[in-house]
Every structure is written in C-alpha cells, then in structure tokens.
Amino acid sequence: MMEPSAYLILSGILFAIGAVGVVARKNALIILMSVELMLNGVNVAFVAVGSYLGDPTGGIFAFMVMTVAAAEAAVGLSILIAIYRLKETIDITELSVLKW
Amino acid sequence: MVGPLSNIHEYLWLILAFPLAGVVLNGIIALVAERPLLLPADDHGHDDHGHGGHGDEHGAHHETPGYRKLVAFIAPAMIFAAFVVALLSVIQLAQMPAESRTVVQTLFTWIQSGGLSVSVALQLDPLSSVMILVVTGVGFLIHVYSVGYMSHEPAFARFFFYLNLFMFSMLTLVLGSSYLLMFVGWEGVGLCSYLLIGFWYEKDSASTAGKKAFVVNRVGDFGFLLAMFLVFWNFGTLNYTDVMARIPALQHSGILTAGLATAITLLMFVGATGKSAQIPLYIWLPDAMEGPTPVSALIHAATMVTAGVYMVARSNALFMLAPFTMGTVAVIGAATAIFAASMGICQKDIKRVLAYSTVSQLGYMFLACGVGAFTAGVFHLMTHAFFKALLFLGSGSVIHAMSGEQDMMKMGSLRKHTPITFYTMFIGTLAIAGIPGLAGFFSKDEILWKAYSSSHGSPVLWAVAAVAAGTTAFYMFRLIFLTFFGASRIDKEVEKHVHESPFSMTIPLMVLAVLSICGGWIGVPAALGGLNHFEKWLEPIFEGGHKAAAVATEALSHGATAAVHGAAAHHDPMEFILMGASVAVALFGIAIAYYLYMVRPEKPAKIAEANPNLYRLVYNKYFVDELYEWLIIRRIVNGSVWLWQMFDVQFIDAMVNGVAKTVRSAGDETRKIQTGVVGNYAFSILLGAVFIVGYLIWR
C-alpha cells in the first residue's frame, strides 16, 4: 500500500482551485462548478485515507458527499434558471439586492 | 361569659377583619356594577356634581338597583359588627385588674430581618379602647348617614369601598401594637383621605384639594418616619410595650438623654402637625371640605385628624422626657386654637367654618398634651368626635335641604323647615361652645384648667385658650343664627325644595346629639363632685410618662417638678374661678353673636366696611396660602422647572440620547460590510476557515 501523501496533495490542489474559483469568479454557474471541485477534492482525501487505513468509512463518506453534491447541484441549478428567467443574468455582482 | 366568647380578646382581629371584608365586597361590587362610571364618560349623568343631585328628590323616582341596596347594607353592617366586637372587648378589658389592662394579640410575623422583627400584633389597652369605640361607634353612625346622603350618587359602591377602607386603616392605626403598624394605618388613612376629598374628581377644585392634602401630609409623614428610625436605632424595637419598658434602662445608661428624647418627639410632632392640621401644616384641612360631607365628618373631624393626638398620647413617656417639645406642642396648640378660631369668624361657607373650628379644637387637644394633661387631650378628642361629627352631619343635612348650597349668606330661617337638624345642631353648638353640663364643657374646661395649673402650663396659655373658646362660641352661634334664624335669604327656586332629611340621616344626628350631651359625664372632674372615671381609666397609660419624667428630673437634680396631676388632687378655689371665667367668656361670645346677627343684622357688614383691610386679611385667611405659595411652592416649582430644563433635558436626556446616537452611527458605518455580493461572503467564510485551520495547526 503506497503512502497517501500524493493523493492528499492532489486533494489539496483540487480544493484550492475550487476555492479560488468560488471567490474569484462572477458567473454563478462557474461558482457552482467550483463548489463541485472542492467537494471532489475532499472526496479524494476521504478515499485515499480510507484505503490507507483499510477502513471502508472513508469510501462510504465519499459516496455520501457525492449524493449530497448531486442534490445540491440540482437545487442550485434550478435556482440559477429561475434567477436567469427573472434577471436575464447570472452575474453575482449584479445580484446584490440583499444588502444594507 | 361562656362558650366561644369566654375570651373575646382572642377575637380582636375581627375588629379589623369586618371592615376589610366590607372593603373586598364593596370593591368587587364597585368594579363589576359601576364599571361604566370608570370608563371615559359619555352621558352618565355626572354633569351635576354631588349635592346638585339632591334637587331631583321630587322628580321621578327611579327604582334602586339591587347592588346599591346590597352596598347600603354591607358597609354599615360591617362597621356595626366591628363596633360590637370592640364593645365586648372593652367590657372584658374593664373587668380585668387595672394594672394588667394591656392585651397584645400577635397575628403573624410580618418582617424578620436582622435585628428587626415586626409582627402584626394588636394591642388593646385603655387608650386604644377609647379610640376603637370612638372610631367604630361614630364611624357606624356616619356610615348610616351616608347611605341617605349619598343616595343620589352614581358612584355609590366606590364611595363605601373607600369609606370601609378608611375604617380598616384607622383601626389598624389605633389597634396596632407598634409604631410601624401605626405608620401603616397612618399612610392608609392618608390615602383614603386623598381618595375621598377628590371623590368628585371631575371637579377641578376637588382633585386639587385632594392633592394638596396628600402632599402636605407627606411633609409630616417624613417627620414621623425619621422619628421611627431614631426610635429603632436607639431602642432596637418599635413595639410600644418594649419601648416603654426600655426607657428606664436607657435613661440609666445615659443613651436616652433629653436631647435624644427632644429629637424623637419633635419629629413625631412634625408628623402630628401634618395629620392633625396644626400650624404650620394646617392649610390642607379647610380645602378638604371639597369632599362629601360625611367624609368631612368622619375623616376630617372625628377620627383621622385626631391620629396626631393619639400618637402624642401613645408616646407620652417620651414626650414627658423632652420639656422643650412639650413647650413647643403647647404653644403650637394654643396658637393654632386661636389662629384658626379667628379665621372661622369671617367664612361664608358653612363647612369651612366647621373646618376652621376643627383645626382650632385640635389645637386644644395639643395644648392639653403639651402641658402634660394627656387625659384631658384624649377626653377632648372623644367629646369633639361626638359634637363635631354631629355638627358636620348637621351641616350636611342643611346642604342636602338646600340642594347643595353651602353659602350661609344664602340661608336663614331654616329652623322651620328642618326642625330635627336645627335642634341637634343647636345641641352640638352648645357643646362646642362649652355650656356647662354638655360634653364639650367638661373636656374643654379640664384643658383650660390644666393649661393654667400644670407645671408645664402658664396663665398666658390659659388666657389664649380662653379667648379662643370665646371666639369659638361666637362663630358657632354666628353659624346657627345665619343658617336657622332671621329672615330667609334663600334662593326662590331652592326654597321650593327645602325639606327635612330622611330618617337614615336624622337618626344618626339624634344619637350624636345624645352623645354630645352625655359624653362628658364620664369625665366629670373631682372639683365638681364627679368621679372622673375617664382619668382613672387612662391612668395606667400615662403613669409611665410621669415616672420617666420623675427619673429624668432626679438625675438632673433639679429638685421638685411637681407631678402634673398632683396639683389637681386638692381642690384649688382657682379651678372654680377659671371655670366661671371660661363660661363667662363663652356666654360673652354668644351674646356678641346674638347682638350682631339677630338684633342688628346689618351691623356685621358695616363693621367689615369700616375695617376693610382687617376684614380682607381675616376673610382671606391671613393670606397664609398665598404666603406658602410665594415662599415655598413657587420656589419648588421654579426649582423643578430648572431641574427639568437644565438637568433632565441637558444632562440625563443628553446622556441617553448620546449613547443612542453613538450606537446608531457605529451601526451606520458597519452595516456597509453587508454588500449583498455572494462572493464577498464566500471569501469571508474561506478566510474564517483558513484562520481556524491555521489555529488548529499552529496552536
């Protein structure tokens, strides 16, 4: 069984890319996709550590996260469609009515 | 006696419980049945205040609602029940040996805090027995009278609710076994006085008079409260029996000096001047006549205003230790007696004459206490309760007959229309004037004699009191002549309705008239061959004071200060001479009144015209109200305005508003963090997460 460090570095890189995407991009669709990237970065870490320890819990958690992510994507996308129909844009800097 | 009544003293609490039951029942009825009156008025027929309602006597008779009948039964019945219990208790007290006539019934512990332990306990002794009999007896008669007098009043149940509450408070005041309970009652009667003076609160003058009484009394209560603190501080207790018992020990240990006794008693006397309307705090009592007449009779003549005298008599052992206070009490009493009597001369309102007369008679009581003749003071308190209640109720009957008119200049010749009222009031007037044989004679004469003969007294005090007695006779007969004799000056419209009052009003008058005649016979002085049962009855109460004073004088090695009643033991021919002199002075006053108001009725106006300044001075009550207004009230108002505009607005309000403004501007700035852009929030979350993880790693 190989060391999990390479997997964990990959996981960290994926998570960081996703985080930067969430913070830096203005397109809400891209932000949703970046969130998926972060979740999957975490999934990699779960699976890697789980298989290193010979414990199936990590894999089970990865499946759990995927399920939730699927649901989240479905809800998020439908909200985006609704917003687009209303505002004709999904640029988050223009969707800022909920402020002081 | 057998059965449950074998020891009636275990049922002392019933004397308080009956009026309290009346308070609760009448209060419930007032809240339920008279609720519409409490709501903002639309047309509840209150436009014609109080007495005005009497005019429709001959109009359509409305059926009395059931609840009014119930109230008219409950309120007097409760007081009567209390009177019966009081009477039985006093009879049993009289059967006990004289030395042990002090019964204390502890009901429950009220306050238990450190060294202070106050239990609610009732004390029946000769002094409080006199008070409860007067309060419940006269109170019952006045309740019966009120049923008739207030029969046209919409707020019937509210009136009796207040009246029963007053009785409860007054009985607490006189039956309580400690200064604290006395204070509870003291404040209770003050509250009821306020509520009843302002009973017709839609009338501006009535609500103002109520406030005035309350505020002036507050000044006095402050003194009483301080006196109580001093007593507790030095004696460690507020119970009468304990305080009296500790006096000798404290005298020996040098704690209870004449200075301390003077401070305590002077402060107590400040309280008494407020409640009992003495100089300088008498000003509220004449204004208190704005209340219904039975209230004036019960509270502002017979019972509440005598609370100060009761307090001084109750604390006689302390007062006897403070010669300076005794002198002050005597001088204030005598000054009030003559000052108020002179103000009564020119008043036109029948009730105001009686109000000044009450102030004057209370002055007599304090004069008696001040010269050490506490018995005489309490005796006069009792007889005064009879004849002054009678006079007030009589004046109420006159006002009732006159459809609410109170100006004596618009009366006259009422003798024919209201014979019962006339005869009973005439008896009351003879009694207050001090005609031999009637109640007022014995008590007033005893005061005059003690003012002269007592070691604290002096011929000057006697002379002042005698002149006041003559003045009293004069203005009371002026009242009688103006009201009942001479030509009718009654308004034609009013004259049609003049009628004698119903039996519920005249029967109390007759009972009080009998008491005004016979009430003095229990205190016939030894000089007139009497046994003076009254003095013997009260002796145990006032013994302690004389003993304490004797110890004090011994300690100061001042030699012989004769015991106060020592002089009365042998028959001084002076006593008869002074007695004759005071009767002569009274007859002289009556003669002047007869000459001025019967023989030459045009004369008074001429005298007034000849001395316009003097007349104006007396008619306006020496401008004392105006003086107070200028000297005190305006200062307080100005000071309050300054505090309001400078301190309150500029400091307190500014502080509060400043805090609010700071918070607001801080919020104004910080709320801009909420940009509404999701990315910014996400960045904050990320930053937070990085910090937390960083902390977990490098901690």
PDB file of all heavy atoms in Angstrom, chain B residues 8-32:
ATOM      1  N   ILE B   8     -62.925  37.094  74.689  1.00  0.00           N
ATOM      2  CA  ILE B   8     -63.180  37.864  73.472  1.00  0.00           C
ATOM      3  C   ILE B   8     -61.895  38.453  72.917  1.00  0.00           C
ATOM      4  O   ILE B   8     -61.794  38.761  71.742  1.00  0.00           O
ATOM      5  CB  ILE B   8     -64.218  38.967  73.773  1.00  0.00           C
ATOM      6  CG1 ILE B   8     -64.688  39.678  72.505  1.00  0.00           C
ATOM      7  CG2 ILE B   8     -63.676  39.982  74.750  1.00  0.00           C
ATOM      8  CD1 ILE B   8     -65.640  38.903  71.686  1.00  0.00           C
ATOM      9  N   HIS B   9     -60.867  38.564  73.749  1.00  0.00           N
ATOM     10  CA  HIS B   9     -59.636  39.190  73.273  1.00  0.00           C
ATOM     11  C   HIS B   9     -58.897  38.343  72.244  1.00  0.00           C
ATOM     12  O   HIS B   9     -58.000  38.831  71.581  1.00  0.00           O
ATOM     13  CB  HIS B   9     -58.718  39.510  74.459  1.00  0.00           C
ATOM     14  CG  HIS B   9     -59.285  40.592  75.327  1.00  0.00           C
ATOM     15  ND1 HIS B   9     -58.987  40.728  76.635  1.00  0.00           N
ATOM     16  CD2 HIS B   9     -60.161  41.575  75.037  1.00  0.00           C
ATOM     17  CE1 HIS B   9     -59.649  41.757  77.138  1.00  0.00           C
ATOM     18  NE2 HIS B   9     -60.369  42.275  76.192  1.00  0.00           N
ATOM     19  N   GLU B  10     -59.299  37.056  72.150  1.00  0.00           N
ATOM     20  CA  GLU B  10     -58.713  36.265  71.078  1.00  0.00           C
ATOM     21  C   GLU B  10     -59.329  36.628  69.731  1.00  0.00           C
ATOM     22  O   GLU B  10     -58.856  36.209  68.682  1.00  0.00           O
ATOM     23  CB  GLU B  10     -58.925  34.773  71.349  1.00  0.00           C
ATOM     24  CG  GLU B  10     -57.941  34.243  72.380  1.00  0.00           C
ATOM     25  CD  GLU B  10     -58.307  32.850  72.845  1.00  0.00           C
ATOM     26  OE1 GLU B  10     -58.986  32.147  72.084  1.00  0.00           O
ATOM     27  OE2 GLU B  10     -57.917  32.503  73.970  1.00  0.00           O
ATOM     28  N   TYR B  11     -60.406  37.379  69.783  1.00  0.00           N
ATOM     29  CA  TYR B  11     -61.105  37.735  68.539  1.00  0.00           C
ATOM     30  C   TYR B  11     -60.904  39.197  68.178  1.00  0.00           C
ATOM     31  O   TYR B  11     -61.654  39.753  67.391  1.00  0.00           O
ATOM     32  CB  TYR B  11     -62.595  37.423  68.681  1.00  0.00           C
ATOM     33  CG  TYR B  11     -62.849  35.949  68.872  1.00  0.00           C
ATOM     34  CD1 TYR B  11     -62.878  35.402  70.136  1.00  0.00           C
ATOM     35  CD2 TYR B  11     -63.020  35.121  67.776  1.00  0.00           C
ATOM     36  CE1 TYR B  11     -63.078  34.049  70.318  1.00  0.00           C
ATOM     37  CE2 TYR B  11     -63.228  33.765  67.941  1.00  0.00           C
ATOM     38  CZ  TYR B  11     -63.249  33.234  69.217  1.00  0.00           C
ATOM     39  OH  TYR B  11     -63.444  31.900  69.383  1.00  0.00           O
ATOM     40  N   LEU B  12     -59.863  39.813  68.754  1.00  0.00           N
ATOM     41  CA  LEU B  12     -59.596  41.216  68.444  1.00  0.00           C
ATOM     42  C   LEU B  12     -59.448  41.458  66.951  1.00  0.00           C
ATOM     43  O   LEU B  12     -59.855  42.495  66.438  1.00  0.00           O
ATOM     44  CB  LEU B  12     -58.296  41.660  69.124  1.00  0.00           C
ATOM     45  CG  LEU B  12     -58.377  42.255  70.523  1.00  0.00           C
ATOM     46  CD1 LEU B  12     -56.994  42.655  70.968  1.00  0.00           C
ATOM     47  CD2 LEU B  12     -59.304  43.450  70.536  1.00  0.00           C
ATOM     48  N   TRP B  13     -58.870  40.465  66.273  1.00  0.00           N
ATOM     49  CA  TRP B  13     -58.617  40.635  64.834  1.00  0.00           C
ATOM     50  C   TRP B  13     -59.910  40.849  64.052  1.00  0.00           C
ATOM     51  O   TRP B  13     -59.899  41.403  62.965  1.00  0.00           O
ATOM     52  CB  TRP B  13     -57.854  39.436  64.269  1.00  0.00           C
ATOM     53  CG  TRP B  13     -58.550  38.131  64.479  1.00  0.00           C
ATOM     54  CD1 TRP B  13     -58.485  37.343  65.592  1.00  0.00           C
ATOM     55  CD2 TRP B  13     -59.424  37.463  63.574  1.00  0.00           C
ATOM     56  NE1 TRP B  13     -59.262  36.236  65.426  1.00  0.00           N
ATOM     57  CE2 TRP B  13     -59.849  36.272  64.195  1.00  0.00           C
ATOM     58  CE3 TRP B  13     -59.877  37.756  62.278  1.00  0.00           C
ATOM     59  CZ2 TRP B  13     -60.721  35.379  63.577  1.00  0.00           C
ATOM     60  CZ3 TRP B  13     -60.741  36.861  61.664  1.00  0.00           C
ATOM     61  CH2 TRP B  13     -61.154  35.690  62.324  1.00  0.00           C
ATOM     62  N   LEU B  14     -61.032  40.421  64.644  1.00  0.00           N
ATOM     63  CA  LEU B  14     -62.306  40.617  63.937  1.00  0.00           C
ATOM     64  C   LEU B  14     -62.613  42.097  63.735  1.00  0.00           C
ATOM     65  O   LEU B  14     -63.256  42.484  62.762  1.00  0.00           O
ATOM     66  CB  LEU B  14     -63.439  39.968  64.737  1.00  0.00           C
ATOM     67  CG  LEU B  14     -63.582  38.461  64.568  1.00  0.00           C
ATOM     68  CD1 LEU B  14     -64.636  37.933  65.513  1.00  0.00           C
ATOM     69  CD2 LEU B  14     -63.950  38.130  63.132  1.00  0.00           C
ATOM     70  N   ILE B  15     -62.117  42.930  64.668  1.00  0.00           N
ATOM     71  CA  ILE B  15     -62.385  44.367  64.551  1.00  0.00           C
ATOM     72  C   ILE B  15     -61.800  44.896  63.244  1.00  0.00           C
ATOM     73  O   ILE B  15     -62.350  45.801  62.624  1.00  0.00           O
ATOM     74  CB  ILE B  15     -61.793  45.120  65.755  1.00  0.00           C
ATOM     75  CG1 ILE B  15     -62.434  44.607  67.043  1.00  0.00           C
ATOM     76  CG2 ILE B  15     -61.996  46.620  65.619  1.00  0.00           C
ATOM     77  CD1 ILE B  15     -61.849  45.223  68.295  1.00  0.00           C
ATOM     78  N   LEU B  16     -60.676  44.307  62.832  1.00  0.00           N
ATOM     79  CA  LEU B  16     -60.099  44.700  61.547  1.00  0.00           C
ATOM     80  C   LEU B  16     -60.696  43.917  60.398  1.00  0.00           C
ATOM     81  O   LEU B  16     -60.840  44.424  59.289  1.00  0.00           O
ATOM     82  CB  LEU B  16     -58.578  44.479  61.557  1.00  0.00           C
ATOM     83  CG  LEU B  16     -57.766  45.366  62.467  1.00  0.00           C
ATOM     84  CD1 LEU B  16     -56.301  45.021  62.342  1.00  0.00           C
ATOM     85  CD2 LEU B  16     -57.984  46.806  62.116  1.00  0.00           C
ATOM     86  N   ALA B  17     -61.064  42.651  60.679  1.00  0.00           N
ATOM     87  CA  ALA B  17     -61.500  41.781  59.588  1.00  0.00           C
ATOM     88  C   ALA B  17     -62.842  42.213  59.019  1.00  0.00           C
ATOM     89  O   ALA B  17     -63.052  42.135  57.808  1.00  0.00           O
ATOM     90  CB  ALA B  17     -61.575  40.337  60.079  1.00  0.00           C
ATOM     91  N   PHE B  18     -63.740  42.694  59.872  1.00  0.00           N
ATOM     92  CA  PHE B  18     -65.061  43.086  59.352  1.00  0.00           C
ATOM     93  C   PHE B  18     -64.971  44.233  58.349  1.00  0.00           C
ATOM     94  O   PHE B  18     -65.493  44.107  57.233  1.00  0.00           O
ATOM     95  CB  PHE B  18     -66.005  43.432  60.505  1.00  0.00           C
ATOM     96  CG  PHE B  18     -66.624  42.225  61.155  1.00  0.00           C
ATOM     97  CD1 PHE B  18     -66.451  41.967  62.495  1.00  0.00           C
ATOM     98  CD2 PHE B  18     -67.380  41.338  60.402  1.00  0.00           C
ATOM     99  CE1 PHE B  18     -67.015  40.848  63.092  1.00  0.00           C
ATOM    100  CE2 PHE B  18     -67.950  40.223  60.979  1.00  0.00           C
ATOM    101  CZ  PHE B  18     -67.764  39.976  62.322  1.00  0.00           C
ATOM    102  N   PRO B  19     -64.301  45.355  58.705  1.00  0.00           N
ATOM    103  CA  PRO B  19     -64.184  46.398  57.681  1.00  0.00           C
ATOM    104  C   PRO B  19     -63.450  45.912  56.434  1.00  0.00           C
ATOM    105  O   PRO B  19     -63.799  46.301  55.320  1.00  0.00           O
ATOM    106  CB  PRO B  19     -63.390  47.499  58.384  1.00  0.00           C
ATOM    107  CG  PRO B  19     -63.588  47.255  59.820  1.00  0.00           C
ATOM    108  CD  PRO B  19     -63.730  45.778  59.984  1.00  0.00           C
ATOM    109  N   LEU B  20     -62.450  45.025  56.630  1.00  0.00           N
ATOM    110  CA  LEU B  20     -61.705  44.541  55.471  1.00  0.00           C
ATOM    111  C   LEU B  20     -62.620  43.736  54.553  1.00  0.00           C
ATOM    112  O   LEU B  20     -62.555  43.851  53.320  1.00  0.00           O
ATOM    113  CB  LEU B  20     -60.524  43.690  55.925  1.00  0.00           C
ATOM    114  CG  LEU B  20     -59.540  43.312  54.823  1.00  0.00           C
ATOM    115  CD1 LEU B  20     -58.924  44.552  54.215  1.00  0.00           C
ATOM    116  CD2 LEU B  20     -58.457  42.407  55.358  1.00  0.00           C
ATOM    117  N   ALA B  21     -63.510  42.933  55.162  1.00  0.00           N
ATOM    118  CA  ALA B  21     -64.480  42.197  54.349  1.00  0.00           C
ATOM    119  C   ALA B  21     -65.352  43.176  53.575  1.00  0.00           C
ATOM    120  O   ALA B  21     -65.661  42.962  52.393  1.00  0.00           O
ATOM    121  CB  ALA B  21     -65.342  41.312  55.251  1.00  0.00           C
ATOM    122  N   GLY B  22     -65.733  44.268  54.243  1.00  0.00           N
ATOM    123  CA  GLY B  22     -66.524  45.292  53.554  1.00  0.00           C
ATOM    124  C   GLY B  22     -65.762  45.883  52.387  1.00  0.00           C
ATOM    125  O   GLY B  22     -66.321  46.122  51.319  1.00  0.00           O
ATOM    126  N   VAL B  23     -64.463  46.108  52.589  1.00  0.00           N
ATOM    127  CA  VAL B  23     -63.629  46.659  51.514  1.00  0.00           C
ATOM    128  C   VAL B  23     -63.661  45.729  50.313  1.00  0.00           C
ATOM    129  O   VAL B  23     -63.903  46.147  49.177  1.00  0.00           O
ATOM    130  CB  VAL B  23     -62.168  46.844  51.991  1.00  0.00           C
ATOM    131  CG1 VAL B  23     -61.276  47.205  50.831  1.00  0.00           C
ATOM    132  CG2 VAL B  23     -62.093  47.900  53.062  1.00  0.00           C
ATOM    133  N   VAL B  24     -63.450  44.430  50.579  1.00  0.00           N
ATOM    134  CA  VAL B  24     -63.372  43.468  49.475  1.00  0.00           C
ATOM    135  C   VAL B  24     -64.712  43.391  48.746  1.00  0.00           C
ATOM    136  O   VAL B  24     -64.785  43.506  47.517  1.00  0.00           O
ATOM    137  CB  VAL B  24     -62.962  42.080  50.017  1.00  0.00           C
ATOM    138  CG1 VAL B  24     -63.065  41.042  48.924  1.00  0.00           C
ATOM    139  CG2 VAL B  24     -61.560  42.133  50.585  1.00  0.00           C
ATOM    140  N   LEU B  25     -65.803  43.230  49.518  1.00  0.00           N
ATOM    141  CA  LEU B  25     -67.116  43.073  48.886  1.00  0.00           C
ATOM    142  C   LEU B  25     -67.503  44.326  48.104  1.00  0.00           C
ATOM    143  O   LEU B  25     -67.888  44.252  46.932  1.00  0.00           O
ATOM    144  CB  LEU B  25     -68.165  42.768  49.953  1.00  0.00           C
ATOM    145  CG  LEU B  25     -68.018  41.394  50.620  1.00  0.00           C
ATOM    146  CD1 LEU B  25     -68.992  41.248  51.770  1.00  0.00           C
ATOM    147  CD2 LEU B  25     -68.230  40.297  49.596  1.00  0.00           C
ATOM    148  N   ASN B  26     -67.381  45.476  48.750  1.00  0.00           N
ATOM    149  CA  ASN B  26     -67.770  46.708  48.065  1.00  0.00           C
ATOM    150  C   ASN B  26     -66.858  46.995  46.890  1.00  0.00           C
ATOM    151  O   ASN B  26     -67.298  47.552  45.878  1.00  0.00           O
ATOM    152  CB  ASN B  26     -67.756  47.890  49.033  1.00  0.00           C
ATOM    153  CG  ASN B  26     -68.929  47.838  49.978  1.00  0.00           C
ATOM    154  OD1 ASN B  26     -69.980  47.301  49.634  1.00  0.00           O
ATOM    155  ND2 ASN B  26     -68.755  48.370  51.162  1.00  0.00           N
ATOM    156  N   GLY B  27     -65.591  46.625  47.033  1.00  0.00           N
ATOM    157  CA  GLY B  27     -64.669  46.825  45.920  1.00  0.00           C
ATOM    158  C   GLY B  27     -65.081  46.001  44.718  1.00  0.00           C
ATOM    159  O   GLY B  27     -65.089  46.486  43.582  1.00  0.00           O
ATOM    160  N   ILE B  28     -65.467  44.736  44.976  1.00  0.00           N
ATOM    161  CA  ILE B  28     -65.903  43.877  43.868  1.00  0.00           C
ATOM    162  C   ILE B  28     -67.155  44.453  43.222  1.00  0.00           C
ATOM    163  O   ILE B  28     -67.255  44.565  41.996  1.00  0.00           O
ATOM    164  CB  ILE B  28     -66.153  42.440  44.365  1.00  0.00           C
ATOM    165  CG1 ILE B  28     -64.824  41.785  44.775  1.00  0.00           C
ATOM    166  CG2 ILE B  28     -66.848  41.608  43.297  1.00  0.00           C
ATOM    167  CD1 ILE B  28     -64.982  40.471  45.488  1.00  0.00           C
ATOM    168  N   ILE B  29     -68.100  44.876  44.087  1.00  0.00           N
ATOM    169  CA  ILE B  29     -69.349  45.426  43.540  1.00  0.00           C
ATOM    170  C   ILE B  29     -69.055  46.683  42.728  1.00  0.00           C
ATOM    171  O   ILE B  29     -69.589  46.878  41.632  1.00  0.00           O
ATOM    172  CB  ILE B  29     -70.335  45.726  44.681  1.00  0.00           C
ATOM    173  CG1 ILE B  29     -70.776  44.422  45.335  1.00  0.00           C
ATOM    174  CG2 ILE B  29     -71.556  46.476  44.144  1.00  0.00           C
ATOM    175  CD1 ILE B  29     -71.616  44.615  46.565  1.00  0.00           C
ATOM    176  N   ALA B  30     -68.175  47.536  43.272  1.00  0.00           N
ATOM    177  CA  ALA B  30     -67.855  48.776  42.556  1.00  0.00           C
ATOM    178  C   ALA B  30     -67.234  48.466  41.204  1.00  0.00           C
ATOM    179  O   ALA B  30     -67.550  49.107  40.198  1.00  0.00           O
ATOM    180  CB  ALA B  30     -66.894  49.630  43.394  1.00  0.00           C
ATOM    181  N   LEU B  31     -66.366  47.445  41.180  1.00  0.00           N
ATOM    182  CA  LEU B  31     -65.700  47.125  39.915  1.00  0.00           C
ATOM    183  C   LEU B  31     -66.664  46.531  38.914  1.00  0.00           C
ATOM    184  O   LEU B  31     -66.607  46.807  37.719  1.00  0.00           O
ATOM    185  CB  LEU B  31     -64.559  46.133  40.168  1.00  0.00           C
ATOM    186  CG  LEU B  31     -63.238  46.753  40.575  1.00  0.00           C
ATOM    187  CD1 LEU B  31     -62.212  45.666  40.804  1.00  0.00           C
ATOM    188  CD2 LEU B  31     -62.743  47.691  39.494  1.00  0.00           C
ATOM    189  N   VAL B  32     -67.577  45.673  39.409  1.00  0.00           N
ATOM    190  CA  VAL B  32     -68.470  44.979  38.488  1.00  0.00           C
ATOM    191  C   VAL B  32     -69.635  45.877  38.079  1.00  0.00           C
ATOM    192  O   VAL B  32     -69.890  46.098  36.897  1.00  0.00           O
ATOM    193  CB  VAL B  32     -68.998  43.680  39.140  1.00  0.00           C
ATOM    194  CG1 VAL B  32     -70.049  43.036  38.268  1.00  0.00           C
ATOM    195  CG2 VAL B  32     -67.846  42.737  39.402  1.00  0.00           C
TER     196      VAL B  32
END
